[in-house]
Amino acid sequence: MFRRVFLRNGRGRVISRASGSVTVLAGLLIAAAPLSAEGPDAGRPAKGGPYGRVIMAIAIDPSAPSRLYAGTAAGVFQSGDGGETWAPLHPGLSGIFVGALAIDPAAPSTLYVGTGSGIYKKTPSGASRSALSSEGNTPLVGALVVDPKSARTVYAGTGAGVFKSTDAGVTWSDSSEGLSNQFVTALAIDPLTPDTLYAGTNGGGVFKTSNGGGRWTGVSGGLGSAIVLALAIDRSANLYAQTLEGVFKTSDGGKNWTAINKGLLSKFVLAFAIDPSAPSTLYAGTASGVFKSTDGGATWSLSSSGLGHLFITYLAVDPLSPSTLYAGTDGGVFKSTSAGATWSELKLPVSERPPLIASKGKKASPKGSNEKSAPAVSEEARSTAPKESQASASPAADTSAPGAGADSGEAGVVAALVLPSGSGTLFAGTARGVFKAAQGSWASSEGPLSDLYVSALASDPNQPSMLYAATDGAGVFKSTDGGGTWTAVNDGLTNVFVTALTLAPGTPKPTLYAATDAGVFRSATEGSSWEAVNTGLTDLTVSALAVEPGSATVVYAGSKSGKIFKTTDGGANWSDSGTGLARGGVRALAIPKSAPSTIYAGTENGVFKSTNSGSSWSPANTGLANISIMTLVADPENASTLYACTAAGLSISHNSGSSWTAMSPDVSSGALVAGRDASGPVLYAGGNGTVLKSIDGGKSWKGEKLPVAKTEAKQ
């Protein structure tokens, strides 16, 4: 749940819709159920949206708008009737993570598909694939544009820069000179002068070329965020950039940018569309739904009736009937025929819907969970996606360790580990439920959690046998017997995509806080009932939580847009506590037990530190090889010791973040916990089908394989 994903996946994971980067929505790419090109349903149209539930791109045939394509985490799907029925486009594209689509405007029967294994070109005569690199390291393609005046010229934005083809995609050459940041998330081509293009990047802002990619220069003056999620340009060459800080507009080729966010309830804008018949009519897809402007972005209003709490990943307008729109979400395709006033799901009947989690033949929806929730995410979908598209590398343990090097990716420990004080038992939250380790052996928790993606775990320090598990799509579950049995506790929880969970000890009962894409919820009844506590939260896409040690009422919340909020009254009122932060999604908050006025924030733009209870922040990144923080943990026994996981591995600081030392390049999981077991201080990190353990402060690791058999997971 920051793709979610953005990614953690999450849903606070962070992966870019356009690129699959580890910036926005990280979990999006693992939320789709894969569709095989073989089997009984192969090639047969299905009522409703594509089986690949996470929509990464939509393309509409300009010559016949009832024909549209959806690029998903499980391949490309085609509809010939405006989305009423769908079928896999081509057997060779099934099961492939798709990051971008583009139709040749001069020959609409030609479709380009950007993936993690190259670029596919589909024509009436068949499909072909071309690689972007002759060195075997093909970057994930997240943006594609075709020159409207020279259809043989195509540009691809990737995680390794811009590539250009002048022979209709047969061959590609690097066209990235001048890009100081080569993680390209979006491309836009000037319709008046197609040699002018713009590239949005993951951390470097916007770049411009006036000679067809021969040379790029930065044009980000006034742009409020260096992380650009999407770009759109109208027929008058007005350019719009969608960022973590909302929408920005330039009318002078990027020399000056102006924020146009009045009325946007969420500034995490991942998708954008312009009405071709009325360029002052704009649509913005956010973490809180679709917003519409009819005055060129001066004001916005919510236009999401029928969309629920889904994350909007893509928007497309029918070029011949602009009142018809399509929204790609992390729960399928939706359609509006009323210019966004109302939306309806292009729904797949239950009898034809494939299993949400293909494991043991069980259904993913547990009793007691919210029946209206979107499907739980599937780790199996991750295994079908190219490695380049996965949110974080799997830690490679010592090959002598149990499970090390094994093909055991069916239960990736991606988000949650908890070691209840005094219990001697470790719990791991995975994409296939909760696993429990006691006396050296692992066992899975059967029951309603066994097929759900567990995004967070929390334990009551006063009652080690009482545990809480947050899920991505089915709310919160509770166990009172040390993980033996679990029960859904969602009364009042109106958003069941829970990204973070924390507990504040109290008398007579602890207080629980749950973070969702609809803000923070609080329970003072051990989960029996919940209430929304969002007064003062200007961004409801909350991705991280932390309770001040020793307090039941002081809580910090980090958002996907990079804001940090603080409450001193248990959530009744929140205030922005982010002065000094570089805006980038907050993935983790850590507070040392013995220094409660010191708070650390792990963000997409590095570690930030506050020594005055969140009043002001300063960067603390010296020595970090990568400042896109996946996990941040404070040592429970030493207030000056911190652990940070990035894509470059595990780093440690022994001086309260003043400097960092790289420890293990192979440990880059989103799950890390520091604690103490019978052997003394210990670190645990999550892996793909394994849990890694270190008893020497992260210098060396031993892997323990989780009991999930590959054959069992593929049933």
Side-chain angles (χ1 to χ4, degrees):
M1 207 349 168
F2 163 143
R3 269 309 358 123
R4 188 356 269 127
V5 57
F6 214 9
L7 352 34
R8 197 173 63 50
N9 265 149
R11 282 163 47 111
R13 21 208 176 177
V14 189
I15 119 187
S16 155
R17 187 267 317 154
S19 66
S21 91
V22 207
T23 318
V24 206
L25 297 179
L28 287 186
L29 75 93
I30 60 174
L35 175 66
S36 171
E38 303 169 358
D41 292 331
R44 178 173 63 84
K47 179 75 173 177
Y51 288 137
R53 298 286 294 172
V54 179
I55 310 302
M56 309 305 292
I58 296 173
I60 301 174
D61 186 334
S63 64
S66 61
R67 183 182 299 118
L68 60 148
Y69 305 89
T72 79
V76 181
F77 298 83
Q78 174 181 275
S79 174
D81 53 13
E84 292 300 313
T85 59
W86 297 85
L89 176 62
H90 187 276
L93 291 172
S94 184
I96 292 177
F97 184 91
V98 175
L101 297 172
I103 292 176
D104 183 342
S109 59
T110 297
L111 176 73
Y112 293 93
V113 181
T115 75
S117 58
I119 294 178
Y120 290 79
K121 180 182 178 182
K122 177 71 171 63
T123 65
S125 60
S128 60
R129 185 181 74 87
S130 56
L132 295 177
S133 171
S134 60
E135 301 174 359
N137 298 318
T138 301
L140 179 67
V141 180
L144 286 168
V145 292
V146 181
D147 187 327
K149 295 185 178 180
S150 176
R152 293 181 63 81
T153 300
V154 189
Y155 299 89
T158 78
V162 176
F163 289 79
K164 180 179 181 178
S165 174
T166 56
D167 54 12
V170 177
T171 60
W172 298 83
S173 59
D174 195 327
S175 184
S176 303
E177 185 178 350
L179 285 177
S180 58
N181 184 309
Q182 295 194 348
F183 208 134
V184 177
T185 58
L187 290 172
I189 191 166
D190 189 326
L192 304 178
T193 56
D195 278 344
T196 298
L197 290 90
Y198 300 89
T201 66
N202 177 13
V206 177
F207 292 81
K208 177 181 180 179
T209 178
S210 299
N211 57 0
R215 175 77 184 177
W216 298 83
T217 56
V219 287
S220 297
L223 196 65
S225 173
I227 297 176
V228 179
L229 308 178
L231 291 172
I233 194 167
D234 67 18
R235 62 193 184 196
S236 299
N238 293 307
L239 179 68
Y240 300 87
Q242 294 73 56
T243 76
L244 293 178
E245 280 298 301
V247 181
F248 291 80
K249 178 181 180 179
T250 179
S251 299
D252 56 12
K255 295 178 182 178
N256 299 281
W257 293 86
T258 302
I260 50 171
N261 296 318
K262 185 177 180 180
L264 279 181
L265 300 181
S266 171
K267 292 184 180 179
F268 187 6
V269 183
L270 198 62
F272 202 80
I274 303 172
D275 185 330
S277 65
S280 61
T281 298
L282 312 172
Y283 299 90
T286 77
S288 298
V290 174
F291 290 80
K292 179 179 180 180
S293 173
T294 57
D295 52 16
T299 58
W300 297 86
S301 59
L302 189 62
S303 189
S304 278
S305 178
L307 284 172
H309 295 291
L310 292 172
F311 208 114
I312 311 303
T313 57
Y314 207 91
L315 288 170
V317 180
D318 185 325
L320 299 185
S321 179
S323 61
T324 298
L325 294 89
Y326 297 91
T329 75
D330 57 349
V333 179
F334 285 72
K335 181 177 182 178
S336 173
T337 56
S338 57
T342 59
W343 297 83
S344 59
E345 183 182 3
L346 301 177
K347 194 171 184 179
L348 185 66
V350 175
S351 61
E352 297 186 12
R353 188 185 299 273
L356 302 179
I357 304 283
S359 172
K360 304 180 186 177
K362 297 180 179 180
K363 294 182 179 180
S365 298
K367 292 180 180 180
S369 69
N370 213 326
E371 291 296 328
K372 295 182 180 180
S373 67
V377 295
S378 166
E379 177 68 13
E380 182 177 343
R382 174 186 290 241
S383 67
T384 66
K387 292 181 179 179
E388 294 87 349
S389 70
Q390 298 191 13
S392 61
S394 301
D398 185 340
T399 55
S400 64
D407 186 5
S408 54
E410 288 77 21
V413 186
V414 292
L417 287 165
V418 67
L419 186 65
S421 176
S423 69
T425 302
L426 177 69
F427 295 86
T430 79
R432 293 189 182 280
V434 174
F435 289 77
K436 174 182 179 180
Q439 299 178 344
S441 62
W442 286 91
S444 62
S445 294
E446 297 297 331
L449 273 180
S450 61
D451 279 339
L452 295 179
Y453 183 103
V454 177
S455 54
L457 290 170
S459 65
D460 187 337
N462 297 322
Q463 304 179 74
S465 62
M466 184 171 290
L467 301 165
Y468 299 89
T471 69
D472 197 353
V476 177
F477 288 76
K478 173 183 173 181
S479 174
T480 59
D481 56 5
T485 58
W486 295 87
T487 303
V489 285
N490 293 325
D491 185 22
L493 193 68
T494 58
N495 186 294
V496 291
F497 293 94
V498 184
T499 56
L501 189 67
T502 192
L503 181 148
T507 303
K509 295 180 179 180
T511 300
L512 285 169
Y513 296 91
T516 75
D517 285 343
V520 177
F521 290 80
R522 178 181 67 190
S523 174
T525 58
E526 297 180 328
S528 297
S529 61
W530 296 85
E531 60 178 333
V533 285
N534 295 323
T535 300
L537 284 179
T538 57
D539 184 356
L540 297 182
T541 58
V542 180
S543 50
L545 290 171
V547 174
E548 181 179 290
S551 173
T553 58
V554 179
V555 187
Y556 297 86
S559 78
K560 295 178 186 177
S561 66
K563 293 183 177 181
I564 294 178
F565 301 91
K566 178 182 179 180
T567 178
T568 58
D569 53 14
N573 298 279
W574 297 85
S575 59
D576 196 325
S577 183
T579 303
L581 285 172
R583 296 304 190 199
V586 180
R587 294 178 180 159
L589 293 169
I591 308 176
K593 289 184 178 179
S594 58
S597 62
T598 299
I599 307 101
Y600 299 91
T603 78
E604 296 165 21
N605 285 323
V607 176
F608 288 81
K609 177 182 178 180
S610 172
T611 57
N612 52 12
S613 299
S615 295
S616 61
W617 299 79
S618 58
N621 299 314
T622 301
L624 283 176
N626 186 313
I627 63 169
S628 183
I629 308 300
M630 303 292 291
T631 313
L632 187 65
V633 173
D635 191 290
E637 299 185 355
N638 190 330
S640 62
T641 298
L642 297 167
Y643 306 93
C645 280
T646 73
L650 175 70
S651 292
I652 187 171
S653 173
H654 289 298
N655 53 14
S656 303
S658 296
S659 62
W660 295 85
T661 302
M663 295 296 293
S664 176
D666 294 325
V667 178
S668 57
S669 168
L672 183 72
V673 66
R676 174 178 287 273
D677 64 8
S679 63
V682 63
L683 287 173
Y684 290 99
N688 227 14
T690 61
V691 171
L692 307 175
K693 178 179 180 179
S694 174
I695 58 174
D696 56 10
K699 295 178 183 178
S700 61
W701 296 82
K702 182 179 180 180
E704 297 177 354
K705 184 178 179 181
L706 298 182
V708 177
K710 186 177 183 66
T711 55
E712 176 184 86
K714 294 293 183 181
Q715 290 178 356

